[in-house]
Amino acid sequence: VQPLRAGPLHVRRSHACPMASVLICGGGNAAQVCSCLFGSRYKVTAISLYGDEAERWDQAVKEAGQMECTLAPQQKTVKAKPDRITKDPICVRECDVVLFTVPSSFHEQYFAALEPHVKDGTIFAVMPARSGCDFLFKKVMGHKASKLGLVAFETLPWACRFNEWGKTSTVLGTKETIGAAVVPPAGKSVTEVILKLQGLLGVEPMIVECPNVMSISLGNPGQVVHPGITYSRWKDWDGQPLAKKPLFYHGADEFCASVLSGISDDIQAICNKLKSVDPSYDTSQVKTIFDWYMASYSLSCKDTSNLQKAMVTNSAYDGLCHPMKGTEDTGFTPDFQFRYLSEDVPTGLCFTKGVADLLDVRTPMIDKVMLWCQDKLGKEFITPDGKMGGKDIGYTRAPQAYGVKTKKDLMEFLGLKPALNPLLPVLAVAAAVIAILAVAKPKIV
C-alpha cells in the first residue's frame, strides 16, 4: 500500500501485483469507493445489473476524467477509475476476485447472473454477507460451489458515501478490524485467500478470520443495529410528519440500547445452544453488540463507558439520519421500505430466528422487533405465536427457506457432531462388568 501524503493521491499500479483483476458488483456508496480506491492499484471492472446504471456511471466517469475518493480521517484524496464499467456478466471470466457491495436482497440476482460464466478458483468476497450467505451460495452455484471460494465479511470496511454519483465519494471512517469467514476454493488455503484480500484492503481494516460462516451469520451487526434502532425510534410514532430528519445512530437513547442488547442476548443464547450440541463448534467470535462496537470503532468513540454512549459519540456516524420520505415543506415521515428493514430483517433476523427455532431457543426481543418490523414491511415471516413459519418465509434467508426443516438437517449442513452423553462411557463399562459377572457366575446344581 502506498503511503498517504499531502494533496491528491495518484497511485501507480504495481506490476508485481498478485491479483490480476477484481470485479466490483453494485453502484452504490461502497461500490463507488471500492472502484476508486482499488482502481488505483489493481485492474478493476465494475458491474451493475440495475437498469442503465452501468451506462450512466461510465458516462459520469468520462465527463470527470476520473473518480475521486476523499479519506476524511486522513484528509487525503485518491484519484483513479475502473478499467471497465459494464452490465455484462460475462466479464467475470477475466476476474480472480468478485467483490459484492450490493444490498443482500440483490445477492441472489448477482450470483445467478455470474454463475454461467465464472471460472474455477474465483473468490467471491461478500461485504457485508449478512446472514445465511453460504446457504444461498450453495443453492445458486450448485456443483460449482466446491471449486469456488466464498469469503463472508461481517460488514463493510468503512462508513462511506458518494458525494456526486459516479465521480466523487468520501470515506467517513475506517474500521480497525473486520471479521471474515473463508471457504477457500479447491487447491487454495484459507491463509492464501486472506492475504490476497488483505492486499486489496491495505493496512486497515485488518481481516480477522472467523472459524465458520455461521459466526458471520449470527454475528451480523446489521440485523441488530438497523431494525433495533428503527423499532426503538418509531414503535410509538403517532404518524405525524417531522420538521427535520432525526439522527439515526446519534439519536439512540437508553431504551434503544436496551433493545439492541436484548437482540444481542438472544443471539448469544443461540451460540450457547450450538456449543451444547457440538462442543467443538466455535462461535466464540460472535460478539455482543457492545463488543462489536469496541472492536470496530473504539478509536472513533469519545465515550465507551456503555453502548449508548459509544453510539452517540462515534464520529464515524456524524450526520447520518433515519431514512425518511418528504421535504422540508411537507415534513418528513420514516421510510420503512429502506434497506434497514427490507434487507436486514429478511436476510438477517429471519435467518437467526430460523436457527433459533430449529434449536428450540427462545428469542423474546427478536420476536418483539420482528413482529413490528414485518408489519411495516407488509410481510409475514413469523407467525403471531413467534414461529418461523409465516407465509412469506420464501423471501427470507431462514434455513427453512432452503429446505433445512429440522435440527438434524441443520446439523448435517453445518457438519455438527452431537456431543456424547458424559454418562455413556460409565454406563458402557457398567454394562460390560455386568455381562462378565453374568458369564462368570457359577451355576447352581
Side-chain angles (χ1 to χ4, degrees), residues 75 153 365:
Q75 297 183 337
F153 282 93
M365 186 59 77

Side-chain angles (χ1 to χ4, degrees), residues 54 210 234 269 289 323 376 423 427 440:
C210 290
W234 301 107
I289 193 59
K376 301 306 175 188
L423 293 178
L427 295 174

